[in-house]
Structures are given as C-alpha cells and as structure tokens.
Amino acid sequence: MKLRKVPNEVFSMMDLNAKFNYRWMPDTTFSLMGLGISYLLEFFEFYGDAISKYYDRFIKNTPYEDSRFHDFISQERRHAAAHKRLNMFMAKNHLPPTREKYHPRVYDFMYMTYKTFVEPNIQGIEADEKDGKTLDGDSFREALKTLAVFETEVCMAAFSFFDNLFDKGKIEHIASLSENLAVLYLLGYHYAEEMEHCHVSIETYENIYGETLWNEKSIEQYSGINDILSHRIINATLFVAREMGVEITVKQIISRLPDRKRSIRPGFNAKSAREKSKIDYLVNKWDLEWEPLLLSKIKQQLQERAA
C-alpha cells in the first residue's frame, strides 16, 4: 500500500471559491452524487480512525497483530483530510461541522447517522471493555464487520468508477468534457487506494473471528444495509444539490444508484485471484497512466490561466 499525496495543483485547480464548478463529469446527477458521497467518505473514514484506536489496544500481544491495518488507516486519514477541504467549501453557508464525543466532524445532515450508528456502537465498545471484553465484545466485532462491509462497498464503487469513466480509453473523453478535473482527480486518487486496501478490513475481520464475511446469509442481510447506505447517499446528494443551486429529484438520484448486491458473491475477498487481478490492473493504470494524464492536464490548465 502506498501513501499517495494529492498535489497542491489539484486543490488550486478545484477552485474552492466563486468559480467552483460542480460538473466534474458530464452527467449532472452523477456529478452531484459524487460530491455527496465525498461527505460520506470523510465521515466514515473518521469513524474508521476512531475504531482503529480500540483495535490498537485490543490487538496488542495477540496472534492477530497485523501492521497492514495501520497502513490502511493511514490511507484513510489522508483521504478524510483531502475531502475535508472540498466538503467544508460546499457547506460554507452553514455552521462548521460539530465535534462530537466519538467523531471529530459531524455535519448537520449527518447527525442522525452519528446518533444512530457511531455513538451507540462506540459506547457499546467502551461498555464491553469495562466488563473485560475486548476482541470478544459484540460491539467491537460489529464495528470491524461494519468497516469491512463499508470498505467492500467502496471497492465496488471504485470498480464501477474506473470501468465506466477511465478504462479502455474513456478517460480522454471524460477529461475533455469535465468542467472540474480536480474533483475527478480527487475521486480517482481515493478510489485507487480504496481498492488497494479493501482486502485488509475483510481479512482482519475474518482472521479474528474465524468466519467468512460474505456468505449467503450475510449477502441476504446486506440488502437492508444497502437500503440504509442508499438513503445516506440520497440525503448527501440533496444537500449538495441545494448548495449548488441545482434542482434534482429523489427519483433522479435513485435511478443512478447501482445494484451493489449483484456485485458481491459468497466468499468475496478483494485479495482472491479474480479480484486481485482486477485491482492490480486498475491501480497500476492509475499510477502509471491515468494519474499522470490528469495531473498533466491540470497543470496545463493552470499555466493557461496564468498566461
């Protein structure tokens, strides 16, 4: 896993000012959804960082210590920091996100998610710890499972992102039509690293608890989780649309939501031969071809502005 850095030129080109253009791709709905998902990515990455602190305590001096988990969380911290700049700008007409007891940055429209998901989960971990339960605590086990499910979700989104927008020469077409290459770059950078570390969260859960994350039963239960995530995406997208002054309907957003259930098979692990081959291909394409191409175009546009 690499700790990549978003170059300063990307944020300069993003125009986090009156010139900001939300249309990072030609489709209006997808553009708004991508910006809405930016809030969810930041929110859940800070949640993962919070869970990692319990992981560090609970895993110490056990057979399950795994340095890869720290690399995974390091990438997540960088992602949260990168999205924070964009998200703060889009919410500039509102109060800054609040610091809650178990999360450093909760935007108002994410407060219910904090109260119904983050707070009770971490309170449960702390209550279990007081009772002498660490790895064997139900709340910590559920937290690691939730992280693995969310990372699988984002990995699936990354596959779709690169397959539909970048691969097989599509990037040239999308880049020529994009009105904000910097946002396109930010999402590409983020999704490349998400694919790279997806297997870590899955294997962490499976190694500790000795069960397969994705089996027939869990995939069936996943449909309910998927409904909750879809609802969060809709709320975040509506928030962004209002801030950008764009009219959009819930029906339009729903029509763009993928059927993620079809993407996950029993036994799914991002390090299995099939998925690893795809991930290696896409990450290498990002590092060696797509990232340099986008950065070159961004630098060229900045030079043209300065001329």
Side-chain angles (χ1 to χ4, degrees):
M1 283 177 276
K2 297 179 182 178
L3 291 179
R4 299 167 181 80
K5 181 181 179 181
V6 180
N8 289 331
E9 290 94 336
V10 172
F11 291 106
S12 296
M13 191 67 204
M14 200 174 288
D15 286 331
L16 299 181
N17 51 48
K19 296 180 181 179
F20 180 77
N21 193 320
Y22 72 89
R23 289 176 60 86
W24 57 271
M25 68 167 296
D27 185 280
T28 295
T29 303
F30 271 132
S31 289
L32 294 169
M33 283 178 64
L35 294 172
I37 289 170
S38 177
Y39 284 99
L40 301 187
L41 293 171
E42 179 193 344
F43 182 88
F44 282 100
E45 280 153 358
F46 277 120
Y47 168 72
D49 188 30
I51 298 303
S52 75
K53 294 173 174 59
Y54 297 98
Y55 172 89
D56 288 341
R57 290 211 303 273
F58 296 171
I59 212 76
K60 192 174 182 180
N61 299 323
T62 74
Y64 305 111
E65 287 187 275
D66 189 342
S67 61
R68 298 177 308 162
F69 195 86
H70 300 106
D71 294 336
F72 150 53
I73 293 298
S74 293
Q75 284 187 333
E76 296 288 81
R77 290 190 187 112
R78 287 171 176 246
H79 297 168
H83 282 269
K84 182 169 70 173
R85 296 172 68 171
L86 172 62
N87 295 345
M88 281 289 286
F89 166 74
M90 291 189 293
K92 63 185 179 300
N93 295 322
H94 300 266
L95 293 173
T98 57
R99 172 174 285 278
E100 304 294 339
K101 183 176 181 180
Y102 302 112
H103 196 291
R105 295 172 54 79
V106 180
Y107 291 89
D108 285 350
F109 69 93
M110 293 292 293
Y111 186 63
M112 181 177 289
T113 299
Y114 169 78
K115 293 295 287 185
T116 59
F117 170 67
V118 174
E119 185 177 80
N121 181 249
I122 296 183
Q123 284 178 338
I125 293 173
E126 294 187 342
D128 286 344
E129 188 177 13
K130 287 181 181 178
D131 290 337
K133 297 177 182 178
T134 55
L135 296 181
D136 56 335
D138 290 341
S139 293
F140 183 71
R141 179 173 183 155
E142 185 60 26
L144 285 188
K145 187 172 187 177
T146 301
L147 281 181
V149 169
F150 182 74
E151 290 300 316
T152 304
E153 275 278 2
V154 182
C155 186
M156 294 295 101
F159 287 170
S160 177
F161 179 86
F162 286 118
D163 285 346
N164 291 309
L165 300 183
F166 281 44
D167 201 19
K168 298 179 180 177
K170 298 184 189 78
I171 188 172
E172 289 283 0
H173 177 66
I174 294 297
S176 69
L177 297 176
S178 174
E179 297 177 50
N180 198 324
L181 284 175
V183 173
L184 181 64
Y185 180 105
L186 177 65
L187 293 172
Y189 142 82
H190 190 145
Y191 281 138
E193 292 197 346
E194 289 292 339
M195 291 188 299
E196 197 171 49
H197 68 225
C198 177
H199 67 281
V200 174
S201 57
I202 297 174
E203 291 177 1
T204 296
Y205 177 80
E206 293 182 339
N207 290 340
I208 293 174
Y209 299 109
E211 71 173 35
T212 301
L213 176 69
W214 294 112
N215 51 47
E216 294 283 359
K217 182 179 178 181
S218 63
I219 290 175
E220 186 61 33
Q221 294 172 336
Y222 171 66
S223 60
I225 299 170
N226 191 26
D227 289 343
I228 295 171
L229 182 60
S230 294
H231 182 69
R232 290 170 179 157
I233 292 173
I234 291 167
N235 279 345
T237 303
L238 290 173
F239 173 79
V240 170
R242 185 181 65 182
E243 296 311 296
M244 299 297 106
V246 182
E247 284 294 327
I248 193 172
T249 65
V250 171
K251 186 175 180 180
Q252 286 175 296
I253 302 171
I254 291 175
S255 70
R256 297 297 198 279
L257 291 172
D259 184 359
R260 300 172 187 83
K261 185 176 178 181
R262 295 180 181 175
S263 302
I264 302 175
R265 301 175 304 282
F268 173 87
N269 186 321
K271 208 171 183 182
S272 64
R274 177 176 174 177
E275 273 72 32
K276 185 178 185 302
S277 176
K278 183 178 183 67
I279 289 170
D280 288 347
Y281 168 77
L282 292 174
V283 172
N284 285 335
K285 290 283 281 188
W286 170 258
D287 282 337
L288 301 177
E289 181 180 334
W290 298 333
E291 189 273 349
L293 184 150
L294 286 177
L295 189 56
S296 174
K297 288 181 178 295
I298 287 170
K299 289 180 177 179
Q300 181 180 348
Q301 289 186 7
L302 287 173
Q303 291 174 353
E304 291 171 356
R305 286 184 183 183

